[in-house]
Amino acid sequence: IQGGVHAGALPGVWSKVSIMRPLTKRQKEIVTLLGHGLSQQEAARQLGIKYGYARQLVMLARERQECRSTVQLVARHARTHD
């Protein structure tokens, strides 16, 4: 693996490697609260942030972790942070 790509099965063929980026501290906080059963709105209230910002944090966290859903994001976070 070099520069985010790796050699494919065929000589001379390169494919992009999936590299998940770590969550920010704030993203970890909101995902943890979601894992404890809070809604995004409740988590926003508890963190003292606006609901729109909470939604944005979750969306960006999903992108960073390459998750298709918030449920997948919460499950992945729980598996790696127990």
Side-chain angles (χ1 to χ4, degrees), residues 10-75:
L10 302 173
V13 176
W14 293 86
S15 62
K16 187 101 173 124
V17 171
S18 172
I19 301 175
M20 290 188 298
R21 295 177 297 163
L23 299 181
T24 65
K25 180 180 180 249
R26 197 54 137 177
Q27 289 169 338
K28 287 178 187 176
E29 290 172 339
I30 194 156
V31 173
T32 298
L33 291 173
L34 296 177
H36 286 115
L38 275 68
S39 68
Q40 289 185 25
Q41 200 162 23
E42 292 166 333
R45 225 176 286 125
Q46 184 160 334
L47 294 173
I49 60 176
K50 293 187 177 192
Y51 173 58
Y53 180 52
R55 286 174 43 110
Q56 183 180 20
L57 286 170
V58 172
M59 180 195 67
L60 293 172
R62 283 177 51 189
E63 287 177 10
R64 280 178 171 254
Q65 294 291 297
E66 299 177 358
C67 294
R68 291 184 176 183
S69 70
T70 302
V71 171
Q72 183 183 17
L73 172 66
V74 169

